[in-house]
């Protein structure tokens, strides 16, 4: 586990502890490494006796989901579906099936900006392999892997899942942590706990109070200065928040940094966005949409958000000067630090259909249609 990830977890937890609870009444947490990051569960100090039980439930739930969905193990159901691509369907656990249904739902909703079949592109750029290539992939190489990308290649059968093209490759990295947080949160509340927070690598869901009279407080990291936060969000009532950022996971190729989120239209890592934070009523939606809005960019994100009244967002372009584009509901729950209040810009939501435009563009360009700008290697 890298030092980078350790700092990430500590900063997030520090954000929680600074939520206005008196010393001695601050929430208590358990943290452990999983899914390439850290998971923590927190309960109010008054419930400290229950922490062991809560953490046991959380650990078991996250491990179970990870074993089904990870692409880092050849045995996971997702890896088995990838192995059988173009050949046959693979029977899947109800949880895997639910995960794939949700992937298809968010792929449709975002016109393919969220696409769970980007696996081969993710690997081509060296994300997930630990060994980035020496040169950026060539336009031809990108075109080849893009031929396998397209969420409609994923078919759910009566008892299984099937990729109808041998080149297609699933990667649920854009949604798996949110799913794990929801599954965990639901398992713990089913055991009768109301006041709790689950945080899996910045995918967070909170219920009840952190201490008497205080909701949970979560820091939103400054994408330009990882040690700093832009402000704090106040969350309760089972609400969730997720952040997709260019600083979270990246590769350096030829001295240039590439973030781990892929534009499925071009087969290239997205540029132009530094961070996107989404608040929703559940963690899976926050996770899927933070990834999708990151891909869509400010304009398309704004039009999609207009159709999603339950979702609030903060978008930070990778640009100077630093500006924080926020929906009204996000602003209402956000307490900016220092001079960040002066950097807030209200997102003007329109009624026009962003995902339809995304889809149209996709159809016009075809797979790999935009790759001409890719650097040769
Ligand atoms: P997140 O940190 O939730 O935004 O997820 C990023 C991860 O999702 C990446 O590391 C990839 O595994 C995967 N991913 C990358 N691009 C996309 C995309 N356009 N749609 C869905 N998943 C993606
Ligand atoms: Mg995500």
């Amino acid at each position: 586990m890298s030092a980078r990830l350790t700092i990430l977890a500590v900063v997030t937890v520090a954000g929680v502890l600074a939520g206005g609870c008196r010393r001695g009444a601050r929430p208590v947490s358990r943290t452990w490494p999983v899914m390439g990051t850290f998971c923590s569960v927190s309960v109010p100090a008054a419930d400290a006796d229950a922490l062991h039980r809560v953490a046991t439930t959380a650990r078991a739930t996250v491990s179970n989901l990870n074993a089904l969905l990870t692409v880092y193990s050849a045995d996971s159901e997702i890896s088995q579906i990838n192995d059988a691509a173009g050949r046959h369907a693979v029977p899947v656990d109800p949880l895997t099936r639910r995960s794939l249904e949700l992937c298809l739902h968010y792929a449709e909703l975002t016109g393919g900006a969220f696409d769970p079949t980007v696996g081969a592109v993710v690997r081509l750029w060296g994300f997930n392999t630990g060994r980035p290539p020496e040169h950026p992939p060539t336009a031809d190489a990108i075109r080849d892997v893009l031929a396998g990308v397209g969420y409609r290649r994923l078919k759910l059968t009566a008892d299984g899942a099937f990729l109808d093209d041998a080149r297609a490759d699933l990667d649920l990295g854009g949604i798996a942590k949110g799913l794990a947080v929801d599954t965990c949160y639901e398992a713990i509340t089913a055991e009768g706990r109301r006041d709790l927070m689950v945080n899996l690598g910045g995918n967070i869901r909170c219920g009840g109070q952190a201490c008497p009279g205080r909701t949970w407080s979560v820091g939103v990291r400054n994408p330009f200065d990882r040690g700093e936060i832009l402000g704090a969000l106040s969350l309760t009532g089972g609400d969730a928040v997720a952040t997709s950022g260019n600083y979270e996971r990246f590769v350096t190729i030829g001295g240039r940094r590439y973030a781990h989120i892929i534009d499925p239209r071009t087969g290239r890592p997205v540029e132009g966005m530094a961070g996107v934070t989404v608040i929703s009523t559940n963690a899976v939606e926050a996770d899927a949409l933070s990834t999708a809005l990151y891909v869509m960019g400010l304009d398309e994100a704004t039009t999609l958000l207009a159709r999603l009244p339950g979702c609030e967002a903060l978008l930070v372009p990778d640009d100077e000067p630093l500006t924080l584009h926020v929906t009204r509901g996000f602003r209402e729950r956000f307490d900016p630090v220092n001079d960040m209040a002066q950097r807030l810009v209200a997102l003007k939501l329109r009624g026009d259909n962003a995902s339809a435009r995304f889809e149209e563009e996709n159809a016009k360009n075809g797979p790999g249609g935009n790759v001409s700008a890719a650097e040769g290697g």
Side-chain angles (χ1 to χ4, degrees):
M1 197 65 57
S2 72
R4 193 168 69 79
L5 291 177
T6 311
I7 292 164
L8 190 146
V10 170
V11 170
T12 309
V13 173
V16 174
L17 297 181
C21 298
R22 275 185 303 105
R23 189 183 269 278
R26 291 180 181 163
V28 289
S29 307
R30 281 275 168 88
T31 303
W32 66 98
V34 67
M35 286 180 145
T37 182
F38 286 91
C39 187
S40 70
V41 285
S42 309
V43 295
D47 294 348
D49 288 353
L51 184 60
H52 180 72
R53 170 98 203 102
V54 167
T56 305
T57 301
R59 264 177 192 266
T61 313
V62 178
S63 297
N64 178 40
L65 198 73
N66 187 43
L68 295 171
L69 304 186
T70 181
V71 289
Y72 293 99
S73 153
D75 298 336
S76 76
E77 291 193 344
I78 295 301
S79 295
Q80 290 176 38
I81 299 166
N82 286 339
D83 279 350
R87 293 187 290 123
H88 58 83
V90 172
V92 291
D93 184 277
L95 261 176
T96 306
R97 186 182 181 83
R98 178 81 191 120
S99 311
L100 294 172
E101 283 168 356
L102 285 162
C103 281
L104 291 175
H105 169 74
Y106 288 107
E108 286 283 349
L109 183 70
T110 63
F114 181 90
D115 192 320
T117 63
V118 290
V121 186
V122 169
R123 270 204 313 280
L124 179 71
W125 285 87
F127 304 112
N128 291 1
T129 63
R131 284 184 313 276
E134 258 178 58
H135 303 286
T138 61
D140 281 350
I142 293 175
R143 194 173 291 117
D144 281 352
V145 289
L146 263 184
V149 174
Y151 65 91
R152 292 198 178 88
R153 296 190 166 100
L154 171 63
K155 305 279 192 307
L156 297 181
T157 59
D159 62 345
F162 176 50
L163 288 166
D164 71 5
D165 185 318
R167 297 165 299 186
D169 203 65
L170 291 169
D171 177 340
L172 270 53
I175 201 169
K177 294 190 186 78
L179 263 163
V181 168
D182 280 343
T183 316
C184 231
Y185 183 87
E186 280 148 22
I188 297 167
T189 49
E191 288 175 353
R193 303 245 70 86
R194 198 184 64 105
D195 302 314
L196 78 138
M197 165 155 125
V198 182
N199 177 0
L200 177 50
N203 293 267
I204 295 172
R205 195 160 169 194
C206 304
Q209 301 185 334
C211 57
R214 294 278 179 177
T215 56
W216 297 91
S217 176
V218 174
V220 178
R221 187 168 294 112
N222 184 338
F224 298 101
D225 185 350
R226 297 177 37 77
E228 299 289 321
I229 61 168
L230 299 172
L233 279 173
S234 152
L235 294 181
T236 184
D239 277 352
V241 64
T243 297
S244 291
N246 63 0
Y247 53 89
E248 277 178 7
R249 195 172 289 187
F250 53 83
V251 289
T252 306
I253 306 173
R256 188 157 160 207
R257 240 169 81 158
Y258 296 92
H260 64 139
I261 299 171
I262 302 291
D263 186 332
R265 294 170 293 192
T266 64
R268 294 178 56 82
V270 175
E271 289 174 280
M273 201 53 96
V276 174
T277 300
V278 171
I279 306 175
S280 174
T281 53
N282 60 86
V284 83
E285 179 152 295
D287 192 2
L289 291 180
S290 67
T291 307
L293 297 179
Y294 189 98
V295 173
M296 292 175 123
L298 258 189
D299 265 10
E300 285 180 273
T302 308
T303 36
L304 178 61
L305 281 165
R307 295 166 49 212
L308 304 171
C311 261
E312 305 298 343
L314 157 72
L315 290 94
V316 183
D318 188 7
D319 220 349
E320 301 278 358
L322 169 65
T323 41
L324 315 183
H325 298 259
V326 282
T327 60
R328 188 192 305 195
F330 195 98
R331 177 67 187 102
E332 282 165 8
R333 299 191 213 180
F334 186 60
D335 185 12
V337 295
N338 306 328
D339 66 336
M340 291 301 160
Q342 285 117 58
R343 297 174 179 276
L344 290 169
V345 178
L347 274 170
K348 293 201 176 52
L349 304 187
R350 306 182 283 274
D352 136 52
N353 187 338
S355 59
R357 269 202 284 132
F358 196 100
E359 190 103 299
E360 232 170 65
E361 200 181 314
N362 237 346
K364 203 167 60 207
N365 294 324
N370 285 349
V371 296
S372 51
E375 300 119 86

